[in-house]
Structures are given as C-alpha cells and as structure tokens.
Amino acid sequence: MKFMKLGSRPDTFITTEAVRSVNSEVVSDLIVQVKGSRYLLHKFPLLSKCSRLQRLCSESPETSQHQIVQLPDFPGGIEAFELCAKFCYGITITLSAYNIVAARCAAEYLQMTEDVEKGNLIYKLEVFFNSCILSGWKDSIVTLQSTKSYPLWSEDLVITSRCIEAIASKVLAHPSKVNLSRTYSRRGPRDDISCIESDSRRHNKDSSKIWWAEDLAEFSIDLYWRSMIAIKSGGKVLATVIGDALRIYASRWLPNISKYANLEKQIVHDQSESDSIGKHRLLLESIISLLPAEKGAVSCSFLLKLLKATNILKGSCSSKMELARRVGLQLEDASVNDLLIPCVSHTCDTIYDVDIVITILQQFMLQVQSPPTSPLRRRGDFERRRSRSAENIDLEFQESRRSSSASHSSKLKVAKLVDGYLQEIASDTNLPLSKFISIAEAIPGFARFDHDDLYKAIDIYLKGHPGLNKSERKRLCRILDCKKLSMDVCMHAAQNELLPLRVVVQVLFFEQARTAMSGGHVTELPSNIKALLANHDDTAKTSASFNKAKMTPVNDQWSNASGLKSPKSNISTLKMKLAEDDDLDEHNADEIGKSSRIKALCVLPNRPKKMFSKLWSNNRSSVASEKN
C-alpha cells in the first residue's frame, strides 16, 4: 500500500486538561473549536495556508488574548483537522488510502488552495491521489470504502467516481497488468448461509477471471452497484463472470434472511427489524437489476434462491416476475428443493408458493414452444442466395431439429421435476385441487415416459385430503394415464381404496393387456378381475347386449368346462362396470352425454382384441379337441 509523508518537524502537539496545543515558546493567540474539542494554536502558520480561517478571523471580534473560531461542521473530525494543522506547522504527517479522503475533505473545507500558497495541501493530496492511490488495486478499494463516511464531500470532489473508474479499468485489464498491492484473500464457504449460499463448483476453471469479486463484495450496495455498472459497460467481462460476482456478493450480504419469514406481525412494532428488512430488500432489488441478460449467466439454483429471498423480503412484483421469467429459461437445471419457495403472506394458506411455480412453468412452456427464428434476408441477396437455396434449407432444417430436440429434452427433465415437486406439496392440506391439477397439466403428456411419479403424487394428495368427494377424486385421476404405469405401481393401484373404481378397472385392464403383449399365455383371469366381475350379478346378460350392439357375437367355442368367459365377454363386462360406476356417480347427468363419454372412454382399438384372442388361444384349442 502506498503512503506519503509531508513535513519534517517532530510532533509537538500535546494535551493539557482536555485542550490540545503546540509546545512552543510563542504564546498561542487562536482558539479553534472542532466538534467539542479545543485547540490552542497560532494565527500565523494557520492563516497563511487556510483561506477559510482568514475569513473567519476577520469576521469574528478579537478578545484580549485569544481569538475564537468555531468549526462545528468540520468534515473528518478532529483527526482530519489535526492533519491539516500539523501540515501548516511543518510537522511530519503520513497520508495513505485510509486517511486521504478525510484529509482531502478537510483541506477543501479550510480552502487550502494554490491561491493562498503555492504547494498547498490540496495540490499535494491531488498529486498523491492521482499518481499513487488510483494506480493500486487495494488503495483504490480502501479509498472508495472510506468515502462512505463523507458521501456528499466525496461526490463533490469527484473522489468516488474516480475510484470506481480506476477499479473498473483494472477489472477490465488483464490480471497480470494490475498492481494488486497485496494478495487478495478468498473466504471459504460460510456456515451460516441458508437462503443465499455460495456455489463453489461453478466456474472453478475461471477463478482467475473473477479475482476481483471477493474484494468488491465488501462494498455497500450503492458503491457495488455503481462499480458493477461500470464493469458491465466495459463489455469485456463474460456474463458468467458477472453472474458469479453477483452470487459472491449475495452470499456476503444475504445470509439467514429466512429469519424474517415469521416476523410479518412484528414488523410494525419493531422499527429496527423493519429498517433491516428495508435495507435487505433494497440490496436484493439491486442485485436483480444487475443480473446479466444472457441465458445461463447465473445458475437456476441461484435465481430460485433470489426468488425465495424476494418472497421473504416482500420484494416488488416486477422483480418476482423477472426472476420467474429467467428461471423459466433454464428450468431444466433446477431441483425440487429449489422450487420449494416458502409462502410467507397471510393471504396464502399453503406452505409453499405454488402460484409462482405455476408462473415459472408457464414461462418455461412459452420459451420451449417459441419457434426458432432465422435471420431476415435482404432482397439484394436474392440472386446470390438462389444457388445456395438447398444448402440454406438444409441448414435451417438442422437448426430446427436441434432446437426441437433441445426443447423436447428440456420438457422431459422438467416433467420429472414437476412430478417430484407435486409429491412434496401434495400433503399440504390447504393445497387446492385446482392448483395441483394446474401444475400437473402444465407439462404436455408426451413429456412423461411413465406416470409412476405422478401416481405417487396423486396417492399422497388423496391421503392428505380425505374429504374429497367421488367427483373430485375422478377429476384428479383424469390426469393419470394408466397405460404408463409400471407393474409395481399397477399392483399398488389395484389395491388402493382411495382411487375411483374407473381407475382401478383401467389399471387392471391395461396390466392384463400388457401381459398379453409380452407373449405370455394366460389361461385364467387374475383374482382381482374375477372378484370385480363377481360383484356384477347380470354379467352374462349385460355382456351379450353390449357385444350385440358394438362387437362380434360371442362364439360358443370360447367357453370351456371351467366356465371361463370369452375375452370379448370379459372386456364387455369391464366396460359395463365402468358404465355402472358412471351411473352411480353421475345419475343426474344427461343420458346422451353420459353414454357418449362412456363409449369414448371405453372403446378399444383392434390391437387389444388381437391380444385377448391370443390370451385365450389355449382355451379355444382345448374346446376344439373336446368337440372332435
């Protein structure tokens, strides 16, 4: 760190009975009062260098022995005044980045300019500041931090802006060309960080590019914001480096803000807590405004931590929407824990803020559904591009395929994420059914390879909401595709008493069809289907009427001595069980509309018919042998 010494005389200032004076044979004739402290000094050395003291002495009346001058609003206090007084006496003083701002403000207040005397204090301070302070990294950092004590004076004397420009220029320059003046220290991960935490895994290879972030993280938010604006305007720092610097700053100033989550009622009565929340909210809003616009510049996890902090600190709606939009751009990189954003408002009964997650999912779908844009062609390029039309078409096609593949992959990841999130929030007794369904349906059906995780979420929701009526349970289960359930989940669903009968029948049927597709020969229906069919008294009659209307008549040879019905009869019976369930649950609905819904749900493609004909092939062969 650079320093400068001025003067050559030894220090002769002494303190006697709370009064500072100069040990001299000459009797003092001037009393200067600075913020409660008294100095017995001499007019000649002070007035010869300080224009303000000259004017004050000329305006104040002289007493018999001492002339008194009041300096109540002196910048820098008694330390800065003593530096200036010692300079006037020629006593040695040492100036550095720690006291140069105070000395400069004090010299300006006393008007120690070149007009009064050549080589005065202001001139010497400016030379030292421009040539030494601004050329060093630590000197610029310390000087800028010291301007917080004299904000107005520092702005008027252009000290703050010059320090910021010097710091930004060093960040934009190559590290080898920067005079660090010291080895900057990196703090390890903090143990007390909860809502905003450091992520040391990202960009470790770029650590040399972010050597400056730890030092800037010590700034107050106003100085940090101005410094980052100057760095970003240079256009040489990568967006990812800017993002990492913001993450480091948030880790420094926003730890443990979750303690404010339960203070909403106390804020009105506790002014100190209210002021603290206001400061943290301003800091958070400033960080959000500094986020780079480029996708991936900051991690999705960090964005969601900022969103949690915005909820806790009750940030502006515009900040929440901006964060939700940015999270939607890279939602596939999020985790379930990241999405568990606490809801701290008394108007919200749910544990987690599901509304903001719905907004994030909407933003995600808007991004992945946006078609890839190609640059506009100018009319003057038509002739030149005609011969390359095939090549352009091929390139555009490849670009479209890459974009489509990327968006499809993102949807698959987000679908898995959503199902995991639903499992976490499903047990919340205050979670409305409509919001649960909205989150589940936000992702298109093709994005789910299987519905096992979705079934688990539905099962948790049914257990946590025992008061759902049959209509609501059926509405909930409509989002479930039984064809996409694994065998283990099907076994669980077949015994789940909370599921509507329609879903249980569908699960049993599709599991039977899947067994047939696997090439197995099933000679007897599973016990659960047989028990289901046994509860229906008029199975044969109903099956015959249904097959007469919609399917091929039942062949007698498809019945054996054991009484096993034909596959068509069994399928029809399952269909009629679904129709019976609809009759019990929707007895006041219109008959025509109900019939059309049942037919639409229960109609089977040709492939299951073939599978069931294969399923009971052994039965047909045994009947044929008996007839022969």
PDB file of all heavy atoms in Angstrom, residues 228-247:
ATOM      1  N   MET A 228     -20.299  -2.239 -10.485  1.00  0.00           N
ATOM      2  CA  MET A 228     -20.694  -3.281 -11.419  1.00  0.00           C
ATOM      3  C   MET A 228     -21.232  -2.695 -12.718  1.00  0.00           C
ATOM      4  O   MET A 228     -21.016  -3.255 -13.807  1.00  0.00           O
ATOM      5  CB  MET A 228     -21.735  -4.188 -10.773  1.00  0.00           C
ATOM      6  CG  MET A 228     -21.202  -5.055  -9.641  1.00  0.00           C
ATOM      7  SD  MET A 228     -19.857  -6.145 -10.149  1.00  0.00           S
ATOM      8  CE  MET A 228     -20.722  -7.234 -11.284  1.00  0.00           C
ATOM      9  N   ILE A 229     -21.924  -1.581 -12.631  1.00  0.00           N
ATOM     10  CA  ILE A 229     -22.400  -0.925 -13.849  1.00  0.00           C
ATOM     11  C   ILE A 229     -21.215  -0.487 -14.709  1.00  0.00           C
ATOM     12  O   ILE A 229     -21.210  -0.651 -15.945  1.00  0.00           O
ATOM     13  CB  ILE A 229     -23.296   0.284 -13.500  1.00  0.00           C
ATOM     14  CG1 ILE A 229     -24.633  -0.189 -12.929  1.00  0.00           C
ATOM     15  CG2 ILE A 229     -23.527   1.154 -14.721  1.00  0.00           C
ATOM     16  CD1 ILE A 229     -25.498  -0.943 -13.894  1.00  0.00           C
ATOM     17  N   ALA A 230     -20.201   0.047 -14.057  1.00  0.00           N
ATOM     18  CA  ALA A 230     -19.003   0.471 -14.802  1.00  0.00           C
ATOM     19  C   ALA A 230     -18.291  -0.727 -15.416  1.00  0.00           C
ATOM     20  O   ALA A 230     -17.803  -0.661 -16.551  1.00  0.00           O
ATOM     21  CB  ALA A 230     -18.059   1.233 -13.868  1.00  0.00           C
ATOM     22  N   ILE A 231     -18.242  -1.838 -14.696  1.00  0.00           N
ATOM     23  CA  ILE A 231     -17.579  -3.040 -15.226  1.00  0.00           C
ATOM     24  C   ILE A 231     -18.370  -3.617 -16.390  1.00  0.00           C
ATOM     25  O   ILE A 231     -17.809  -4.000 -17.426  1.00  0.00           O
ATOM     26  CB  ILE A 231     -17.414  -4.074 -14.099  1.00  0.00           C
ATOM     27  CG1 ILE A 231     -16.398  -3.568 -13.067  1.00  0.00           C
ATOM     28  CG2 ILE A 231     -16.960  -5.421 -14.662  1.00  0.00           C
ATOM     29  CD1 ILE A 231     -16.319  -4.410 -11.812  1.00  0.00           C
ATOM     30  N   LYS A 232     -19.698  -3.696 -16.243  1.00  0.00           N
ATOM     31  CA  LYS A 232     -20.531  -4.253 -17.311  1.00  0.00           C
ATOM     32  C   LYS A 232     -20.497  -3.380 -18.564  1.00  0.00           C
ATOM     33  O   LYS A 232     -20.526  -3.890 -19.685  1.00  0.00           O
ATOM     34  CB  LYS A 232     -21.971  -4.404 -16.827  1.00  0.00           C
ATOM     35  CG  LYS A 232     -22.151  -5.485 -15.764  1.00  0.00           C
ATOM     36  CD  LYS A 232     -23.586  -5.542 -15.261  1.00  0.00           C
ATOM     37  CE  LYS A 232     -24.530  -5.998 -16.365  1.00  0.00           C
ATOM     38  NZ  LYS A 232     -25.917  -6.137 -15.842  1.00  0.00           N
ATOM     39  N   SER A 233     -20.434  -2.068 -18.381  1.00  0.00           N
ATOM     40  CA  SER A 233     -20.424  -1.168 -19.538  1.00  0.00           C
ATOM     41  C   SER A 233     -19.143  -1.299 -20.349  1.00  0.00           C
ATOM     42  O   SER A 233     -19.100  -0.924 -21.520  1.00  0.00           O
ATOM     43  CB  SER A 233     -20.602   0.285 -19.078  1.00  0.00           C
ATOM     44  OG  SER A 233     -19.519   0.679 -18.239  1.00  0.00           O
ATOM     45  N   GLY A 234     -18.078  -1.842 -19.737  1.00  0.00           N
ATOM     46  CA  GLY A 234     -16.846  -2.048 -20.483  1.00  0.00           C
ATOM     47  C   GLY A 234     -16.964  -3.106 -21.555  1.00  0.00           C
ATOM     48  O   GLY A 234     -16.231  -3.071 -22.553  1.00  0.00           O
ATOM     49  N   GLY A 235     -17.876  -4.047 -21.384  1.00  0.00           N
ATOM     50  CA  GLY A 235     -18.146  -5.050 -22.403  1.00  0.00           C
ATOM     51  C   GLY A 235     -17.088  -6.120 -22.564  1.00  0.00           C
ATOM     52  O   GLY A 235     -17.135  -6.880 -23.532  1.00  0.00           O
ATOM     53  N   LYS A 236     -16.135  -6.216 -21.655  1.00  0.00           N
ATOM     54  CA  LYS A 236     -15.064  -7.198 -21.795  1.00  0.00           C
ATOM     55  C   LYS A 236     -15.182  -8.376 -20.834  1.00  0.00           C
ATOM     56  O   LYS A 236     -14.501  -9.377 -21.004  1.00  0.00           O
ATOM     57  CB  LYS A 236     -13.702  -6.516 -21.577  1.00  0.00           C
ATOM     58  CG  LYS A 236     -13.358  -5.472 -22.628  1.00  0.00           C
ATOM     59  CD  LYS A 236     -11.985  -4.886 -22.356  1.00  0.00           C
ATOM     60  CE  LYS A 236     -11.613  -3.848 -23.408  1.00  0.00           C
ATOM     61  NZ  LYS A 236     -10.265  -3.269 -23.150  1.00  0.00           N
ATOM     62  N   VAL A 237     -16.029  -8.258 -19.833  1.00  0.00           N
ATOM     63  CA  VAL A 237     -16.163  -9.308 -18.828  1.00  0.00           C
ATOM     64  C   VAL A 237     -17.293 -10.239 -19.231  1.00  0.00           C
ATOM     65  O   VAL A 237     -18.387  -9.793 -19.600  1.00  0.00           O
ATOM     66  CB  VAL A 237     -16.428  -8.707 -17.433  1.00  0.00           C
ATOM     67  CG1 VAL A 237     -16.561  -9.806 -16.391  1.00  0.00           C
ATOM     68  CG2 VAL A 237     -15.303  -7.758 -17.053  1.00  0.00           C
ATOM     69  N   LEU A 238     -17.049 -11.541 -19.176  1.00  0.00           N
ATOM     70  CA  LEU A 238     -18.053 -12.520 -19.552  1.00  0.00           C
ATOM     71  C   LEU A 238     -19.263 -12.432 -18.643  1.00  0.00           C
ATOM     72  O   LEU A 238     -19.155 -12.100 -17.454  1.00  0.00           O
ATOM     73  CB  LEU A 238     -17.466 -13.924 -19.481  1.00  0.00           C
ATOM     74  CG  LEU A 238     -16.312 -14.248 -20.443  1.00  0.00           C
ATOM     75  CD1 LEU A 238     -15.779 -15.641 -20.164  1.00  0.00           C
ATOM     76  CD2 LEU A 238     -16.774 -14.128 -21.885  1.00  0.00           C
ATOM     77  N   ALA A 239     -20.420 -12.763 -19.209  1.00  0.00           N
ATOM     78  CA  ALA A 239     -21.657 -12.723 -18.429  1.00  0.00           C
ATOM     79  C   ALA A 239     -21.613 -13.720 -17.281  1.00  0.00           C
ATOM     80  O   ALA A 239     -22.141 -13.460 -16.193  1.00  0.00           O
ATOM     81  CB  ALA A 239     -22.860 -13.006 -19.339  1.00  0.00           C
ATOM     82  N   THR A 240     -20.979 -14.875 -17.499  1.00  0.00           N
ATOM     83  CA  THR A 240     -20.876 -15.864 -16.425  1.00  0.00           C
ATOM     84  C   THR A 240     -20.018 -15.355 -15.274  1.00  0.00           C
ATOM     85  O   THR A 240     -20.286 -15.675 -14.105  1.00  0.00           O
ATOM     86  CB  THR A 240     -20.278 -17.171 -16.971  1.00  0.00           C
ATOM     87  OG1 THR A 240     -19.034 -16.882 -17.634  1.00  0.00           O
ATOM     88  CG2 THR A 240     -21.222 -17.834 -17.965  1.00  0.00           C
ATOM     89  N   VAL A 241     -19.001 -14.565 -15.587  1.00  0.00           N
ATOM     90  CA  VAL A 241     -18.159 -13.996 -14.540  1.00  0.00           C
ATOM     91  C   VAL A 241     -18.943 -12.951 -13.746  1.00  0.00           C
ATOM     92  O   VAL A 241     -18.858 -12.883 -12.512  1.00  0.00           O
ATOM     93  CB  VAL A 241     -16.888 -13.384 -15.149  1.00  0.00           C
ATOM     94  CG1 VAL A 241     -16.045 -12.692 -14.082  1.00  0.00           C
ATOM     95  CG2 VAL A 241     -16.066 -14.456 -15.853  1.00  0.00           C
ATOM     96  N   ILE A 242     -19.738 -12.142 -14.448  1.00  0.00           N
ATOM     97  CA  ILE A 242     -20.598 -11.177 -13.762  1.00  0.00           C
ATOM     98  C   ILE A 242     -21.573 -11.915 -12.851  1.00  0.00           C
ATOM     99  O   ILE A 242     -21.822 -11.519 -11.699  1.00  0.00           O
ATOM    100  CB  ILE A 242     -21.365 -10.319 -14.779  1.00  0.00           C
ATOM    101  CG1 ILE A 242     -20.390  -9.453 -15.604  1.00  0.00           C
ATOM    102  CG2 ILE A 242     -22.396  -9.437 -14.077  1.00  0.00           C
ATOM    103  CD1 ILE A 242     -19.697  -8.379 -14.825  1.00  0.00           C
ATOM    104  N   GLY A 243     -22.143 -13.006 -13.361  1.00  0.00           N
ATOM    105  CA  GLY A 243     -23.079 -13.782 -12.559  1.00  0.00           C
ATOM    106  C   GLY A 243     -22.430 -14.353 -11.313  1.00  0.00           C
ATOM    107  O   GLY A 243     -23.036 -14.356 -10.228  1.00  0.00           O
ATOM    108  N   ASP A 244     -21.210 -14.859 -11.434  1.00  0.00           N
ATOM    109  CA  ASP A 244     -20.512 -15.389 -10.268  1.00  0.00           C
ATOM    110  C   ASP A 244     -20.199 -14.290  -9.256  1.00  0.00           C
ATOM    111  O   ASP A 244     -20.256 -14.510  -8.039  1.00  0.00           O
ATOM    112  CB  ASP A 244     -19.219 -16.069 -10.702  1.00  0.00           C
ATOM    113  CG  ASP A 244     -19.431 -17.521 -11.068  1.00  0.00           C
ATOM    114  OD1 ASP A 244     -20.578 -17.983 -10.937  1.00  0.00           O
ATOM    115  OD2 ASP A 244     -18.465 -18.184 -11.484  1.00  0.00           O
ATOM    116  N   ALA A 245     -19.854 -13.110  -9.740  1.00  0.00           N
ATOM    117  CA  ALA A 245     -19.580 -11.993  -8.832  1.00  0.00           C
ATOM    118  C   ALA A 245     -20.837 -11.614  -8.049  1.00  0.00           C
ATOM    119  O   ALA A 245     -20.767 -11.339  -6.839  1.00  0.00           O
ATOM    120  CB  ALA A 245     -19.062 -10.800  -9.626  1.00  0.00           C
ATOM    121  N   LEU A 246     -21.980 -11.624  -8.709  1.00  0.00           N
ATOM    122  CA  LEU A 246     -23.237 -11.315  -8.017  1.00  0.00           C
ATOM    123  C   LEU A 246     -23.566 -12.392  -6.983  1.00  0.00           C
ATOM    124  O   LEU A 246     -24.094 -12.088  -5.904  1.00  0.00           O
ATOM    125  CB  LEU A 246     -24.368 -11.193  -9.037  1.00  0.00           C
ATOM    126  CG  LEU A 246     -24.271 -10.012 -10.004  1.00  0.00           C
ATOM    127  CD1 LEU A 246     -25.377 -10.083 -11.046  1.00  0.00           C
ATOM    128  CD2 LEU A 246     -24.352  -8.683  -9.245  1.00  0.00           C
ATOM    129  N   ARG A 247     -23.279 -13.634  -7.314  1.00  0.00           N
ATOM    130  CA  ARG A 247     -23.529 -14.721  -6.361  1.00  0.00           C
ATOM    131  C   ARG A 247     -22.659 -14.564  -5.116  1.00  0.00           C
ATOM    132  O   ARG A 247     -23.129 -14.763  -3.987  1.00  0.00           O
ATOM    133  CB  ARG A 247     -23.254 -16.064  -7.032  1.00  0.00           C
ATOM    134  CG  ARG A 247     -23.345 -17.252  -6.117  1.00  0.00           C
ATOM    135  CD  ARG A 247     -23.037 -18.546  -6.853  1.00  0.00           C
ATOM    136  NE  ARG A 247     -21.810 -18.454  -7.623  1.00  0.00           N
ATOM    137  CZ  ARG A 247     -20.597 -18.566  -7.082  1.00  0.00           C
ATOM    138  NH1 ARG A 247     -20.471 -18.754  -5.788  1.00  0.00           N
ATOM    139  NH2 ARG A 247     -19.515 -18.487  -7.835  1.00  0.00           N
TER     140      ARG A 247
END
